[in-house]
Amino acid sequence: MKILTLETTCDETAAAVVTDRLEVLGAVVASQDALHQRFGGVVPEIASRAHVERILPVIDETLRRAGVGLRDLDAIAVANTPGLAGSLLIGLSAAKSLCVALDVPLIAVNHLQAHIYACKLASGEEVFPCIGLIVSGGHSSLYRCPGPLDFDLLGGTIDDAAGEAFDKVSAMLGLGYPGGPAIERAAARGNPAAFAFPRPFLQDRQRLDFSFSGLKTAVRYAIAGPGRLDFSQIRLTPEHTADLAASFQEAVVDCLVGKAILALELTGERTLCVGGGVAANARLRQRLQEEATVKGVRLYVAPLRLCTDNAVMAAIAVERYRAGRFESLELDVEPGLVRTSRASGTNAAGASKPIPR
Ligand code: KG4
Ligand code: ZN
């Protein structure tokens, strides 16, 4: 059985062909980093236009690499939540068109569940039940996941996502976009204790939320002072930049690790799965490993190639296929965060027939 999976939630146009045995026959990711670089962040309108241009070539190339034809596909899966509305729509429209043309069922993928599923794919081990920490450009959330398709939101950012903070601080430091890898490189030469940046909610043992907006502002003040915010006039030495980057990174890592461990303690779960673009961060990975060892927790962090957005992790569609959870062509995009699988706009209860027409 072969499923074509599509991913267009943000600024990567990606496709993969996966089998029911979770083999990846072919996969392509077309990154839009170059298009958004000069804006220091993703511009939604540019992203959706680029998806329109890329989706068909990406599908063609994926099928070529997989050595399969359109007629060999048994289902089409697409991430329809959460993400940028205009971006999600391109993937969903392509998926629906293929379903109609090929007369195969449509499967909905929750992008955040897919980020967690990347841990199962990469390890080949059963990772559920677990706590899922998803840290990306758009999300910083903690979920309790009894199984691959079931989840409840435990907490998340009340303002910016961790990746968004990396990107904006990188722009302030003149380090470019995407900010995560640039900050990580600069931080390697810096002192993480040079600046005492805030760690919101970290001491609150009842709350599993994050806030990175104030941290961004604190870095801004550390660079330019409260009244002077013209970054083009400011010259930072490489040492100063490295210290700012390292101190900022340490504050983010402290919050993410602290709340992930608290989530395990509050729920009694013993497994932590971590995914999303920010999970590529080496300092975060190191600190998670240290804490997991101390606490005796099973830790799975997605491998680098599956941290940033890709369609391979959408192999979670295989679980839905097995459970007979198909969608009608009425399926819509759901840009906002889904808090629980019970309230998901996708067909959580399971349809008896694939694509009722
Ligand atoms: O998961 P992803 O590809 O897209 C979203 O769903 O948002 O995550 C992209 C985010 C960007 O904000 C990028 O700066 C961040 O992940 N990122 C990193 C690293 N690599 C990518 N953040 C920290 N350290 C990294 N090494
Ligand atoms: Zn993502």
Side-chain angles (χ1 to χ4, degrees):
M1 189 269 285
K2 300 180 186 68
I3 302 179
L4 174 70
T5 57
L6 303 180
E7 153 64 45
T8 62
T9 60
C10 187
D11 65 334
E12 265 91 23
T13 318
V17 177
V18 298
T19 72
D20 49 344
R21 298 169 62 189
L22 297 180
E23 298 150 322
V24 181
L25 301 184
V28 173
V29 179
S31 163
Q32 299 179 10
D33 281 355
L35 297 179
H36 302 284
Q37 211 145 26
R38 71 190 169 103
F39 302 102
V42 177
V43 181
E45 183 61 26
I46 292 176
S48 45
R49 284 167 189 263
H51 284 308
V52 172
E53 289 167 6
R54 289 158 196 225
I55 188 77
L56 294 182
V58 163
I59 291 172
D60 283 346
E61 178 60 13
T62 303
L63 293 174
R64 196 190 63 75
R65 288 189 193 178
V68 303
L70 283 172
R71 293 277 160 206
D72 300 320
L73 299 172
D74 298 287
I76 311 293
V78 61
N80 74 317
T81 185
L84 300 170
S87 292
L88 289 164
L89 273 170
I90 310 306
L92 182 60
S93 306
K96 285 183 182 176
S97 310
L98 284 168
C99 288
V100 171
L102 303 172
D103 197 20
V104 294
L106 175 66
I107 301 175
V109 166
N110 178 306
H111 176 78
L112 300 185
Q113 282 184 312
H115 268 304
I116 295 167
Y117 200 75
C119 295
K120 176 178 162 114
L121 279 177
S123 67
E125 293 174 23
E126 188 46 82
V127 300
F128 300 98
C130 69
I131 294 295
L133 170 66
I134 300 127
V135 270
S136 69
H139 306 280
S140 302
S141 319
L142 278 161
Y143 282 93
R144 185 175 198 173
C145 311
L149 303 179
D150 307 313
F151 60 92
D152 281 303
L153 186 70
L154 298 172
T157 182
I158 61 162
D159 41 55
D160 295 335
E164 155 86 7
F166 269 97
D167 292 334
K168 292 297 177 292
V169 167
S170 178
M172 289 180 219
L173 294 174
L175 296 173
Y177 176 85
I183 295 264
E184 185 174 347
R185 276 192 299 276
R189 300 182 299 275
N191 172 9
F195 294 88
F197 289 135
R199 279 124 170 103
F201 307 135
L202 192 54
Q203 302 311 323
D204 187 337
R205 303 277 307 158
Q206 301 305 317
R207 198 165 173 179
L208 291 168
D209 290 326
F210 305 104
S211 166
F212 297 112
S213 164
L215 173 59
K216 241 172 37 181
T217 309
V219 176
R220 204 178 165 98
Y221 285 175
I223 297 172
R228 301 171 44 231
L229 293 176
D230 185 354
F231 290 97
S232 63
Q233 303 300 312
I234 293 179
R235 295 280 169 267
L236 296 171
T237 64
E239 294 73 27
H240 198 181
T241 300
D243 284 347
L244 284 161
S247 301
F248 161 77
Q249 177 177 267
E250 202 65 12
V252 175
V253 168
D254 274 350
C255 295
L256 297 178
V257 175
K259 291 300 177 190
I261 297 296
L262 181 61
L264 289 159
E265 289 171 2
L266 292 179
T267 59
E269 296 292 356
R270 305 299 306 153
T271 304
L272 175 63
C273 288
V274 187
V278 180
N281 186 276
R283 180 67 182 146
L284 175 61
R285 298 170 86 91
Q286 179 196 15
R287 287 282 309 285
L288 285 167
Q289 191 56 64
E290 287 167 5
E291 286 295 321
T293 305
V294 170
K295 306 273 184 213
V297 164
R298 287 203 307 162
L299 173 69
Y300 296 92
V301 187
L304 295 190
R305 71 193 151 80
L306 295 184
C307 279
T308 44
D309 288 349
N310 63 86
V312 170
M313 64 190 189
I316 192 173
V318 170
E319 304 276 350
R320 282 193 168 253
Y321 189 97
R322 285 186 189 139
R325 283 159 71 161
F326 302 107
E327 307 300 325
S328 82
L329 293 177
E330 303 298 311
L331 180 71
D332 205 350
V333 300
E334 214 169 326
L337 196 67
V338 178
R339 304 185 73 83
T340 166
S341 46
R342 291 187 295 279
S344 169
T346 56
N347 190 350
S352 50
K353 278 187 287 178
I355 13 178
R357 302 240 169 95

